[in-house]
Amino acid sequence: MDVSRLHGMVYAEGLPSGKIYYRSTEEKRGRLLAEAVPYSWPQFGVPQLAIGTIDSQTPCSLWIAKSANVPACSGGLVGILVGSSQGVVTACSVGTNGLDERRIERGEVTCRWVLSPGVPIIGFAVDENVSTKRLASGRVWAVALNALGELFYLSGMPSRPHIERKERLNRSRLELLAWETGRTVHWAMAEPSRRVARPDPFDSADIDGSYSPRSSWNGMGLSPEQIAAETKEIQTFIGKKPMHFRKLNDGWDMRRRLEVDFAGEDGSGAGENVVVIENGLDEGGIASIRRYTRCKVPNPAASDPLGDVSLPIPSDSSRPGNNQMIGTSQQGRSQEPSWSFGAVRRNSTAGSEGVEDQAEEWRISNFSFGGLKVPQITTTALDLSTYAILTVEEDPLLTASGSSLTSSPTSSPLPQMARPGTPTDVPGQRARLLAVGSKIGTITLWNIRDPTSTNSAIESTMKPVRIIHTESPQISCLALSALYLVHGGNDGLVQAWDPLASSAESIRTLNSRFSSRARRRLVQAEASPQGVGINLFAAGAIYLDPDPTVLRGMVSLGTHLRYWSYSSSAADQYKSNKRRLRRSERGSNQGADRFTGTGRGALKDYIANEKFELEKEQIGRHKEEERLAGRFGLDLLGPGATEDEILAYATMLSEEAAASDEQRRK
């Protein structure tokens, strides 16, 4: 399930032939999405995804746009992404406004791709701050993850072919149009994340476990016969069961987590950081965190006279019997190809000068746990505050009044003020923190933008910034901003921490843990394999204000929601013994002067209001004194009693209690 304040909600049934339901914020009733048709057009690259009226796909992942940037940049084509168990990614629209030239209905299927046939797509990460400037520089805006840990990324927006206004689009025509639209962009794969085949010393497998076909795009220039052969091979892989891939490949895990830093920078228009987290929750599994950093390096093929070729052709010795690109089936095991999709030049998405002279490569970094025993990971959080999601070109500290919405001409520095020239001159060096909660109550933090190794063949190791040991048995949820971290435990404890360790203890406890009743419910929930004993005391989710200087947020505790808001002005106004500050009088445009232009009557009203507030304070003080007297016995001997008389009275009561206890024992 995924929810958007602007575009509504989308949820799916995680079972075979499960339905996908979408409801907009402007509607009272929703609709079903992404229903495939029981047809196949191999010459157009359309495999058969449904048998009769039954859709054989199972929804495994969902995403809906949280802002208007992605629908606007895609012309209304991309608003919802759905990943299925067959490795198919479907894009649906959330609708267009009346100013657009083309009208696309809400929930209409606009694009389809097959990224990993037969292997489920388990996660999406989409840049909610994508813009035309980012797209022109060739930055990644969408990442997909499958169950074998393979990463696919998209750096261009799809474009729908021209349609005559008088043409009527039925269900079959819309399905074919979605596949044609999908072929206008290319989902590339991060080569270091390619699936790993199990050792096969006896050569018993009929195909290479590290090979998998996927949908091609128009930039490859394939003929209709090659597209048809590719589609038939994809259809063969779609029909295979998950057991087939688990037998051939290592690393099948449906509970991987994906976190992406789209605002990373390497100085060449790239630098996106993709983090894949293996929870280690399965029996015998080991938790691990790996970062893939996209870098642009000088292309050695730029000086080659054949460098204008869009796709290198593999040598005859690396072909598995027939050419893999045309999709023919393989009769024997093949060697690894001598080329990679990472070296493919996407001329259609290259917009800035010098991009043609650069090639992409992915560098790997492994996160260490700082000497701790590798725990089981239960939750993760990435800093999503306002300035953490800005690129270098959008950072107001580096570009003054640049393209960022957080800067303005009035905030431009004075000529005599020194400006940071590079990100290394910025305090903190534009760090962005990633937090991971474990099953033993510890929180580990890393800087996701730590430098990578200069050699792509060497895997660097990233040490944690801080390790926090909480009092919760398990960490159930996390939220992180540039200034503080909030954790929620499965015992209901919610605390705020300083990630830079200015204090070893928590800054504030936002919700205290519950009594032994919660402990009993916690034991019941852990002992029930069917989940009958649901722990309603655990913190379910935490949300913080995107502005890190605004200290407010909300946490869900079972069926309750609790929120907080702290600021210096609020502390001065509500936490002191002074009277509450009064707002300006009605009809006055000046807050400092209370009596401007209102005459003598306003002064009388002000005095009456002050008198009323003083009476309320006296009544409240009297009630507080009565409560203390009734609870602690402070007024039993009258208002004029001294401390000696009160102590003597307490001693007498103690002696009487001791005497009665002694008689009871006899």
Side-chain angles (χ1 to χ4, degrees):
M1 180 177 181
D2 202 6
V3 180
S4 172
R5 182 180 63 87
L6 293 178
H7 302 109
M9 56 178 288
V10 56
Y11 64 89
E13 301 171 331
L15 48 88
S17 303
K19 303 297 182 180
I20 305 170
Y21 180 80
Y22 165 63
R23 191 183 71 181
S24 173
T25 54
E26 301 176 358
E27 298 176 336
K28 294 184 178 181
R29 294 184 180 181
R31 56 182 57 81
L32 299 179
L33 301 181
E35 294 184 345
V37 297
Y39 306 112
S40 175
W41 297 280
Q43 67 275 17
F44 298 108
V46 182
Q48 185 175 355
L49 303 179
I51 302 175
T53 59
I54 300 177
D55 192 347
S56 56
Q57 300 183 93
T58 300
C60 296
S61 55
L62 291 173
W63 171 85
I64 186 171
K66 312 300 185 301
S67 65
N69 294 345
V70 176
C73 291
S74 63
L77 294 177
V78 181
I80 300 173
L81 291 178
V82 180
S84 73
S85 60
Q86 294 181 348
V88 179
V89 174
T90 303
C92 301
S93 175
V94 292
T96 56
N97 54 37
L99 301 178
D100 292 335
E101 180 181 359
R102 297 173 302 177
R103 178 172 178 82
I104 304 176
E105 298 295 333
R106 290 192 180 101
E108 180 179 324
V109 177
T110 55
C111 304
R112 283 194 196 269
W113 304 273
V114 180
L115 301 187
S116 55
V119 180
I121 302 295
I122 60 174
F124 290 110
V126 180
D127 185 6
E128 300 287 351
N129 297 275
V130 66
S131 61
T132 54
K133 185 175 181 180
R134 291 192 183 187
L135 292 174
S137 61
R139 297 191 69 92
V140 174
W141 68 271
V143 179
L145 174 69
N146 68 6
L148 291 177
E150 292 179 311
L151 293 169
F152 304 90
Y153 61 97
L154 197 59
S155 57
M157 283 292 179
S159 59
R160 174 173 280 190
H162 178 70
I163 306 173
E164 297 293 338
R165 291 183 176 272
K166 61 181 180 180
E167 182 179 357
R168 298 179 61 88
L169 300 178
N170 53 19
R171 184 180 174 188
S172 300
R173 182 68 179 96
L174 285 174
E175 181 75 11
L176 182 58
L177 185 62
W179 288 96
E180 292 178 355
T181 306
R183 295 184 63 84
T184 59
V185 290
H186 175 57
W187 281 86
M189 185 175 72
E191 281 300 317
S193 67
R194 183 179 288 273
R195 63 186 68 181
V196 179
R198 291 181 183 270
D200 188 14
F202 300 105
D203 198 16
S204 58
D206 55 346
I207 60 174
D208 187 1
S210 62
Y211 170 73
S212 175
R214 66 176 185 271
S215 297
S216 58
W217 70 300
N218 295 335
M220 292 182 177
L222 301 182
S223 64
E225 293 77 12
Q226 291 175 320
I227 295 176
E230 175 192 71
T231 306
K232 292 178 181 178
E233 186 178 15
I234 290 175
Q235 190 71 54
T236 302
F237 273 73
I238 288 179
K240 296 183 182 298
K241 300 297 182 182
M243 184 59 66
H244 169 80
F245 299 99
R246 302 186 70 169
K247 181 179 178 181
L248 285 182
N249 304 100
D250 288 326
W252 182 283
D253 187 2
M254 293 283 290
R255 291 191 281 186
R256 282 188 175 93
R257 292 176 179 265
L258 177 65
E259 298 286 352
V260 181
D261 174 27
F262 292 101
E265 184 64 41
D266 68 340
S268 301
E272 298 90 343
N273 299 292
V274 183
V275 180
V276 179
I277 303 168
E278 296 186 7
N279 300 323
L281 299 176
D282 296 331
E283 185 177 356
I286 300 177
S288 64
I289 305 176
R290 173 169 285 196
R291 183 188 69 177
Y292 300 88
T293 304
R294 176 175 169 260
C295 301
K296 288 185 178 180
V297 296
N299 188 6
S303 59
D304 190 350
L306 299 179
D308 293 335
V309 180
S310 297
L311 181 65
I313 300 176
S315 59
D316 294 338
S317 60
S318 63
R319 296 181 181 177
N322 293 322
N323 193 347
Q324 292 184 7
M325 293 306 302
I326 63 174
T328 53
S329 60
Q330 306 177 51
Q331 301 299 329
R333 291 180 55 86
S334 65
Q335 301 176 0
E336 293 186 358
S338 59
W339 50 270
S340 65
F341 281 99
V344 176
R345 299 230 314 277
R346 288 172 293 280
N347 298 326
S348 62
T349 60
S352 58
E353 295 182 2
V355 175
E356 291 79 3
D357 297 332
Q358 295 176 333
E360 293 180 2
E361 68 177 19
W362 290 84
R363 298 173 183 174
I364 303 177
S365 303
N366 296 311
F367 289 27
S368 68
F369 289 88
L372 292 177
K373 181 181 178 182
V374 180
Q376 292 179 324
I377 298 174
T378 56
T379 183
T380 61
L382 184 64
D383 181 8
L384 298 176
S385 54
T386 303
Y387 300 100
I389 59 179
L390 299 179
T391 61
V392 172
E393 292 80 7
E394 301 167 347
D395 196 330
L397 196 58
L398 293 171
T399 58
S401 300
S403 60
S404 172
L405 297 177
T406 58
S407 63
S408 63
T410 58
S411 64
S412 301
L414 298 177
Q416 63 271 19
M417 296 175 59
R419 290 174 51 190
T422 61
T424 56
D425 298 332
V426 178
Q429 300 181 4
R430 299 187 74 249
R432 189 176 185 183
L433 297 180
L434 171 70
V436 166
S438 68
K439 213 171 183 179
I440 58 176
T442 61
I443 304 172
T444 312
L445 290 95
W446 294 272
N447 178 16
I448 198 175
R449 294 177 182 170
D450 270 350
T452 61
S453 62
T454 57
N455 190 350
S456 60
I458 300 176
E459 297 184 4
S460 60
T461 302
M462 299 175 57
K463 296 182 180 180
V465 176
R466 188 187 177 189
I467 299 176
I468 300 175
H469 300 276
T470 68
E471 298 179 0
S472 299
Q474 297 180 14
I475 306 299
S476 58
C477 57
L478 286 171
L480 184 64
S481 73
L483 292 182
Y484 67 109
L485 165 76
V486 180
H487 99 273
N490 63 342
D491 57 346
L493 180 64
V494 181
Q495 290 179 324
W497 302 81
D498 181 11
L500 300 182
S502 62
S503 174
E505 301 296 330
S506 61
I507 302 174
R508 185 178 294 272
T509 299
L510 303 173
N511 188 72
S512 61
R513 67 179 66 195
F514 293 91
S515 60
S516 57
R517 179 185 176 191
R519 295 287 183 176
R520 292 194 301 268
R521 183 63 62 88
L522 181 62
V523 173
Q524 293 174 4
E526 291 180 347
S528 176
Q530 288 79 21
V532 177
I534 300 174
N535 182 16
L536 294 179
F537 297 98
I542 302 175
Y543 183 81
L544 302 181
D545 194 289
D547 188 351
T549 61
V550 179
L551 306 179
R552 63 180 178 182
M554 180 175 289
V555 59
S556 65
L557 298 163
T559 58
H560 301 276
L561 293 175
R562 183 165 186 170
Y563 69 93
W564 64 89
S565 178
Y566 298 104
S567 64
S568 58
S569 60
D572 295 338
Q573 183 172 352
Y574 299 107
K575 300 259 180 216
S576 64
N577 294 326
K578 298 179 181 180
R579 292 194 301 272
R580 182 177 303 176
L581 299 177
R582 183 180 301 281
R583 299 179 181 177
S584 59
E585 298 294 335
R586 180 176 298 178
S588 174
N589 294 326
Q590 299 180 4
D593 191 357
R594 299 178 180 273
F595 318 109
T596 57
T598 54
R600 192 172 178 180
L603 182 61
K604 292 182 179 180
D605 293 340
Y606 179 74
I607 295 174
N609 291 334
E610 287 288 316
K611 182 179 179 182
F612 178 71
E613 285 194 0
L614 287 175
E615 292 176 354
K616 286 183 63 176
E617 288 183 3
Q618 291 178 358
I619 294 174
R621 194 181 304 112
H622 181 66
K623 289 183 178 180
E624 182 68 14
E625 291 176 355
E626 290 181 351
R627 186 185 68 84
L628 294 176
R631 182 174 182 181
F632 302 105
L634 300 180
D635 203 20
L636 291 176
L637 301 181
T642 62
E643 293 184 358
D644 295 337
E645 294 175 349
I646 294 175
L647 289 175
Y649 182 72
T651 303
M652 181 184 67
L653 293 179
S654 301
E655 291 177 354
E656 291 180 356
S660 61
D661 291 342
E662 187 67 24
Q663 291 179 359
R664 196 181 303 108
R665 294 191 192 97
K666 293 180 180 180

